[in-house]
Amino acid sequence: MNDIALQASFALNVALLLMLVIVGIAIARSRSLLASILLLGIYSLVSAAWLVVMDAADVAFTEAVVGAGISTVVLLGAILLVRAGPVRHDWRMTIPPALLVLGVGGLLIYAVTGLPEFGDPASPANAHVGRSYLIETPKEIGVPNVVTAVLSSYRGFDTLGETVVVFAAGIGVALMLGFGPRSALSPPPVATGDHHVVLRVTAKLLIPLIMLYAFYVQFHGDLGAGGGFQAGVILAVAPILHALVFGLRETIEAIPVHAVRSVAALGVLLFAGVGLVCILNGGDFLDYDYLFPPSVEAMIPPGLMGDPDHAHHWGQHFGIFFIELGVLFTVSATMVTIFYGFAGRAADEQEAAS
Amino acid sequence: MSMAVTHFNYIAVIVLMMIGLYVLFATGNLIKRMVGLALFQTSTALFYISLGKVSGGTAAITIYADSPEGRALAATLDPAYVDQFGINGVVYSNPLPHVLILTAIVVGVATLSVGLSIVVRIREAYGTVETDEIEAVARVEAAQSGPARSEAGA
Amino acid sequence: MILFEAIYVAPPALTAQAPILVIAGPLIGACAAVLSPGARTAWMISVLTAAFTLWMSVAVAGEVARAGVIDYALGGFAQPMGIALRIDALGATMALLIASVGLLGALYSGHALVSEVKPEKHTLFQSGYLLCLAGFIGLVLTGDAFNAFVFLEVSSIGTYALVGVGEARDKRALPAAFNYLIFGTVGATFYVLGIGFLYAATGTLNMADMAMRLATLGDNTAAQAGLAFVVAGLGIKAAMFPLHGWLPGAYAGAPSLVSVFLAATATKAAIYLIIRFVLDVFPEGEFGAIFLRWILAPLAATAVIVCSVQAIFAKEVRRILAFSSVAQVGFIMLGVSLATAAGVSAGVYYLIAHALLKGALFMAVGAFAVSVRARTVDDFAGIACEAPWSAAAFGVGAASLAGVPMTMGFLAKWTLISAALEAGAVWIAVTLAIGSLLTLIYVWRMLEAIFFRMPAAGAERAREAPVGVLVPLFILAGLSLLFGVTSTLPASMADASAAALTGAAP
């Protein structure tokens, strides 16, 4: 592998990893919480770039959206509510962690010597199940994006679990932040939006475009990079932007708290429902080949999407479509719930202060 | 020393993980702890992706070997290599770690949100987000012993 | 598992799908609970879902008794391409245990929540509870290592918030919940790291496939590191010494129902995964033997001694019970570290016994908490006069913990010590004996205060808990007594589990 292109790719990989280490050290040394959070956002963005170099397109997309996007929003919301000053630094606290870290790190580096070479196509990891997915997906699923095929079909049960994790996080945040007078359930009586004309006009232009982009990412997830999770987070950005510019009260009037929570639950029900329909039609849970009973499959016009082989894959295509829809509902609704949780308490603090 | 080159990715990722773990435990500020935790979790994700990279591979989206992209990729690689490790004339990177990490990233942000919501409540209950100050407040409250039992009810 | 042979609890079509329904049921119930209009409806959904789950877990156990192992391919894909549920005797036993405690907890939550959780939060609480139930059952039934992580996190995220909700009763629940979150997430991330190493060494995530491939690898640093990190990560979740720092605060601050659930299921599910990896996935060999004998066993022994001593010196009743739990986890791991069929069977039997008795103890404490807020042992003085039934149940649980004859705890300790002697590990038997003596000390402290002292002069008078709380409490405490007398059911399940893991009959 002495080719220039491969060497350039490896050099880029090394450079990005070194950048990440530098940002990591900067986070460790920083005394300001705001700086730490923004550096974490930069870390996520550089990770996303590194992931592209590593051929992980979907993951890069998710890391950029979730890591640099939502995580930063939630962290900023938290420091706004907490109103903390600079981080105190006690040198005595650093000794046990330093020892722990050196010990664990040393063990890990020793263990890593037993791993196959980086980039080795014949390593067990790359030669066994991973390779089988690449070979079998065109025949069994018929979807170009193998990552989506594995995520939604082969390991669909994992994705159901992941969706439930998101749902559980929404419930957790609602349990912690969502009740009583100091919450989004009783929004402030006065709209506290920003009155800047530029912001309002731009937001009105951007919000529909953001939603459109979210739907594009959603429905093209099986053709290129994308999918339910990325689309869900992007879709949640629209109400968040709306709340930041026009005031939380207006957003809650448009999208009430209980409605959002119900949509999150409906997403999980849709996903699990698809699985149950497959059982009712004679297959196993989430076996999309049994999604449609033969009578329904017969009704689908054969040349619908041009490729004659598609007839075999209708169950898979529609199964993936529906579960990604369920993921979209749950993820977007949960992100909005989380935002409502944090913003609801902040709005009340402003009220108390004024 | 060649181990440092062939395993550079893994070593770098381990360094990142240890930085995250260090930030997590070396500070008393709860929010900085969450930042450290996020750092630690993301670095573990990077480890998996490094496992799945195949030299000369491309993203795991099916392309045809005789399309412009396919031909451009094949041009940079040794034909015997493509024959041995490629699928229908194209070499791909392993998609399985990507799927796992997609899940792990989402789980990470879920944990982050719940953790921060708990921090906000701690701030409201104790007035601070530094662990030593929280312990001080808790000690003061414990010292103020109330009646042996008190009426229940939230 | 002789009892299950002849019972057909469900029509065959339903039984064939029972493995997935036992997980999907609580998931759907949790969503329904969120959509429900009021706390009462949410509670009924919770109870019905938990009952359905128990029914399905009995069906699964019956099927395992008949067939030995159930393999359920999700998505219709053959292993190792797809994810499969793989249920053997140990998995079925754990599922049955978790589902039973789940139902009793759901019944208990009708009244017990009222005094400990703000009313607006009850609907979401029930939803979170069902999510935890789904997560734990999914964890013990899955045959895929990464899937286990996902369900571990499903249950954990719910648990962190549920512990934090206890702040209505005790403000310290909030820092405790945060601590639990940090430790738990670090543990889960270590687990993922370990799985990464194992994946790098074998190329698969399916545990059965992994076991096959690891056996052919011989001495592989990556695989050994993988096992070490997996056990370290799960050890944090199971509160193995010295990674148990999060547990006392979390058990003390959480609402009583959550403590019941945590003590009876959370740590047990993590222990199940440790057993699965150490005894099933990882091949027998020198590294495995060294790991068990020189790392796991000494840590477990230290847990037994040190944490029992910490329990003796703790002041608050919930904290005593919490330290006791860590010590008892040490007991279980000592049995498992013997790696003989008798040892593993004793360990599993002790696991069941402890889940039942700790659950009963925390339920009883919660029953007291319905009417008064009491923390220290002195606060509980004389409460037996005012709430005799709850105190009686507490007494039964405490007796089982101490190992009084006629309780399940006595049989558990007995089988554990004899298994240790049989395997020739005399030092383990001695440690177990010392641990049991220490247990007697702190159990006596609590019983003495509750039964043999008068309430303090200015103390608020406690009242007996309502029937809705007493019934599940009595059932749980009664099981400790019942299995102390006729132990065929749990003993046969433990034996079958050990046989499935070690390939030999105990």
Side-chain angles (χ1 to χ4, degrees):
Chain A
M1 308 300 120
N2 287 324
D3 199 68
I4 304 275
L6 291 169
Q7 281 185 329
S9 159
F10 185 72
L12 194 54
N13 160 46
V14 169
L16 287 170
L17 280 174
L18 287 173
M19 274 176 71
L20 285 175
V21 172
I22 293 174
V23 174
I25 296 177
I27 295 179
R29 289 175 48 94
S30 157
R31 299 290 172 92
S32 151
L33 275 181
L34 184 60
S36 307
I37 292 170
L38 293 175
L39 282 170
L40 190 64
I42 293 175
Y43 183 91
S44 294
L45 222 45
V46 174
S47 299
W50 178 81
L51 286 164
V52 171
V53 173
M54 292 285 114
D55 311 324
D58 273 84
V59 188
F61 202 150
T62 313
E63 176 64 38
V65 164
V66 166
I70 283 286
S71 293
T72 313
V73 167
V74 170
L75 276 163
L76 287 175
I79 57 167
L80 172 70
L81 287 172
V82 157
R83 272 172 299 174
V87 180
R88 282 206 327 262
H89 191 74
D90 184 0
W91 67 266
R92 277 162 303 187
M93 267 198 91
T94 63
I95 301 185
L99 292 173
L100 170 75
V101 154
L102 284 172
V104 175
L107 229 94
L108 276 170
I109 293 185
Y110 169 67
V112 149
T113 56
L115 285 176
E117 257 184 46
F118 170 67
D120 181 6
S123 68
N126 294 335
H128 183 38
V129 183
R131 194 176 158 79
S132 312
Y133 286 136
L134 290 165
I135 298 175
E136 299 297 323
T137 298
K139 297 181 223 157
E140 288 187 347
I141 317 284
V143 149
N145 187 348
V146 181
V147 173
T148 301
V150 177
L151 186 72
S152 317
S153 192
Y154 287 104
R155 297 189 69 92
F157 193 55
D158 248 2
T159 310
L160 175 61
E162 184 184 349
T163 314
V164 173
V165 168
V166 173
F167 179 60
I171 294 204
V173 172
L175 271 174
M176 287 284 100
L177 294 180
F179 290 97
R182 315 187 58 191
S183 81
L185 280 180
S186 37
V190 178
T192 50
D194 201 299
H195 298 286
H196 234 235
V197 172
V198 173
L199 283 174
R200 294 172 83 94
V201 170
T202 320
K204 282 189 187 174
L205 286 173
L206 276 179
I207 288 175
L209 288 177
I210 292 174
M211 297 180 74
L212 198 61
Y213 182 56
F215 288 125
Y216 167 78
V217 170
Q218 166 78 11
F219 295 125
H220 283 76
D222 37 0
L223 301 175
F229 293 98
Q230 300 91 326
V233 178
I234 296 174
L235 190 60
V237 170
I240 291 178
L241 181 60
H242 186 268
L244 288 174
V245 173
F246 295 98
L248 186 62
R249 180 165 176 263
E250 300 238 358
T251 314
I252 290 185
E253 277 178 11
I255 310 175
V257 178
H258 285 299
V260 167
R261 230 172 266 161
S262 308
V263 168
L266 284 171
V268 177
L269 282 175
L270 177 58
F271 200 135
V274 166
L276 289 176
V277 167
C278 297
I279 291 183
L280 290 172
N281 286 336
D284 284 329
F285 192 71
L286 291 177
D287 190 350
Y288 303 138
D289 289 329
Y290 286 87
L291 183 63
F292 296 129
S295 47
V296 175
E297 284 234 25
M299 290 197 305
I300 301 172
L304 188 59
M305 280 160 88
D307 180 353
D309 196 30
H310 256 83
H312 168 65
H313 298 135
W314 281 128
Q316 296 289 340
H317 282 281
F318 275 95
I320 296 180
F321 175 80
F322 283 122
I323 63 145
E324 293 276 13
L325 212 56
V327 170
L328 174 75
F329 288 158
T330 302
V331 172
S332 57
T334 302
M335 294 302 153
V336 174
T337 305
I338 292 175
F339 175 73
Y340 278 172
F342 282 94
R345 274 184 134 77
D348 192 70
E349 304 237 344
Q350 278 178 19
E351 266 282 298
S354 61
Chain B
M1 218 47 282
S2 71
M3 190 69 91
V5 175
T6 56
H7 290 70
F8 173 79
N9 269 52
Y10 303 126
I11 297 178
V13 166
I14 287 168
V15 169
L16 286 169
M17 274 191 245
M18 293 302 113
I19 294 178
L21 210 55
Y22 175 78
V23 172
L24 175 57
F25 285 122
T27 179
N29 185 302
L30 297 183
I31 295 200
K32 189 109 192 252
R33 279 217 172 140
M34 294 303 301
V35 169
L37 191 65
L39 205 59
F40 181 50
Q41 285 184 299
T42 321
S43 314
T44 314
L46 304 187
F47 177 73
Y48 268 75
I49 304 288
S50 300
L51 284 177
K53 166 75 176 158
V54 169
S55 267
T58 178
I61 299 176
T62 318
I63 59 178
Y64 294 109
D66 56 354
S67 67
E69 306 93 46
R71 264 177 263 128
L73 280 167
T76 63
L77 295 169
D78 181 16
Y81 181 76
V82 175
D83 270 334
Q84 192 185 3
F85 296 115
I87 293 163
N88 294 334
V90 185
V91 180
Y92 299 102
S93 278
N94 188 352
L96 183 55
H98 301 344
V99 172
L100 303 178
I101 295 310
L102 265 172
T103 308
I105 291 177
V106 172
V107 169
V109 79
T111 315
L112 182 75
S113 314
V114 176
L116 287 174
S117 62
I118 298 179
V119 171
V120 168
R121 291 300 305 274
I122 290 180
R123 166 69 167 83
E124 287 173 11
Y126 286 90
T128 172
V129 289
E130 297 273 348
T131 34
D132 44 4
E133 289 172 18
I134 293 173
E135 278 167 23
V137 172
R139 249 176 281 135
V140 164
E141 287 183 356
Q144 301 163 344
S145 47
R149 304 180 199 160
S150 50
E151 181 68 43
Chain C
M1 311 200 55
I2 318 163
L3 263 136
F4 284 121
E5 292 265 4
I7 297 178
Y8 291 85
V9 294
L14 199 56
T15 311
Q17 301 297 334
I20 189 59
L21 288 177
V22 78
I23 304 173
L27 283 181
I28 296 177
C31 299
V34 167
L35 296 169
S36 75
R40 214 71 199 149
T41 333
W43 177 61
M44 284 197 287
I45 292 175
S46 192
V47 172
L48 286 170
T49 313
F52 176 75
T53 312
L54 182 60
W55 180 31
M56 286 293 106
S57 68
V58 173
V60 165
E63 196 55 36
V64 168
R66 230 168 281 131
V69 172
I70 301 181
D71 270 309
Y72 187 98
L74 289 156
F77 297 107
Q79 303 176 40
M81 294 279 281
I83 298 178
L85 301 176
R86 189 166 190 281
I87 312 171
D88 61 4
L90 182 61
T93 309
M94 295 297 306
L96 196 55
L97 176 68
I98 296 173
S100 318
V101 176
L103 177 59
L104 291 172
L107 285 170
Y108 180 79
S109 71
H111 291 273
L113 279 186
V114 168
S115 58
E116 296 191 63
V117 175
K118 298 201 182 93
E120 321 81 77
K121 299 198 181 181
H122 287 191
T123 315
L124 285 181
F125 186 96
Q126 298 291 5
S127 182
Y129 181 75
L130 287 173
L131 283 176
C132 289
L133 185 63
F136 289 128
I137 295 187
L139 179 66
V140 300
L141 294 183
T142 187
D144 183 284
F146 198 81
N147 198 222
F149 162 70
V150 174
F151 278 105
L152 189 64
E153 287 302 273
V154 167
S155 54
S156 297
I157 290 189
T159 325
Y160 305 144
L162 289 180
V163 168
V165 158
E167 51 84 29
R169 194 197 79 226
D170 182 353
K171 208 163 74 169
R172 297 169 307 169
L174 290 171
F178 185 78
N179 232 10
Y180 182 21
L181 185 141
I182 295 280
F183 273 88
T185 311
V186 169
T189 315
F190 274 162
Y191 176 77
V192 169
L193 196 55
I195 296 292
F197 274 105
L198 287 172
Y199 173 67
T202 59
T204 177
L205 292 167
N206 182 293
M207 293 200 271
D209 196 25
M210 211 186 264
M212 243 173 28
R213 289 174 166 247
L214 281 173
T216 62
L217 274 180
D219 246 348
N220 184 318
T221 345
Q224 291 167 353
L227 180 74
F229 275 96
V230 162
V231 173
L234 292 173
I236 298 181
K237 293 273 188 186
M240 279 190 348
F241 187 90
L243 305 162
H244 66 289
W246 59 268
L247 192 142
Y251 278 29
S256 303
L257 170 59
V258 176
S259 297
V260 170
F261 205 56
L262 278 179
T265 59
T267 42
K268 309 299 179 282
I271 294 175
Y272 159 83
L273 257 191
I274 295 178
I275 297 178
R276 179 66 68 193
F277 270 95
V278 170
L279 292 178
D280 206 9
V281 174
F282 208 72
E284 285 183 37
E286 215 194 300
F287 181 75
I290 296 179
F291 192 75
L292 283 174
R293 224 175 138 226
W294 294 105
I295 301 181
L296 219 56
L299 283 178
T302 325
V304 166
I305 307 285
V306 170
C307 295
S308 298
V309 171
Q310 282 184 303
I312 293 176
F313 287 110
K315 291 206 200 66
E316 299 183 22
V317 168
R318 284 191 162 93
R319 285 180 78 90
I320 296 179
L321 294 178
F323 282 115
S324 163
S325 289
V326 182
Q328 304 295 310
V329 166
F331 275 79
I332 299 173
M333 294 312 294
L334 277 177
V336 168
S337 72
L338 292 170
T340 60
V344 175
S345 170
V348 172
Y349 186 82
Y350 203 99
L351 189 151
I352 301 174
H354 182 246
L356 293 176
L357 70 89
K358 237 350 131 42
L361 282 169
F362 272 111
M363 262 199 195
V365 172
F368 294 141
V370 167
S371 50
V372 289
R373 206 172 281 198
R375 278 194 202 173
T376 66
V377 177
D378 294 323
D379 290 348
F380 278 84
I383 210 163
C385 318
E386 295 150 6
W389 295 108
S390 314
F394 188 93
V396 168
S400 193
L401 179 58
V404 169
M406 291 270 276
T407 61
M408 198 179 176
F410 170 72
L411 285 176
K413 287 194 163 72
W414 182 261
T415 31
L416 203 52
I417 295 184
S418 27
L421 288 173
E422 203 182 294
V426 180
W427 72 276
I428 290 185
V430 170
T431 316
L432 291 170
I434 299 180
S436 308
L437 281 171
L438 292 172
T439 313
L440 262 171
I441 299 180
Y442 61 76
V443 165
W444 176 247
R445 260 187 77 208
M446 293 191 290
L447 286 179
E448 190 256 333
I450 291 179
F451 284 102
F452 298 113
R453 265 200 259 162
M454 297 306 293
E460 186 80 23
R461 282 195 71 79
R463 286 185 311 279
E464 187 58 82
V467 173
V469 166
L470 286 179
V471 167
L473 171 60
F474 271 37
I475 296 178
L476 202 50
L479 283 175
S480 288
L481 276 179
L482 174 67
F483 291 142
V485 175
T486 53
S487 203
T488 334
L489 181 60
S492 55
M493 289 202 283
D495 282 342
S497 313
L501 281 173
T502 57

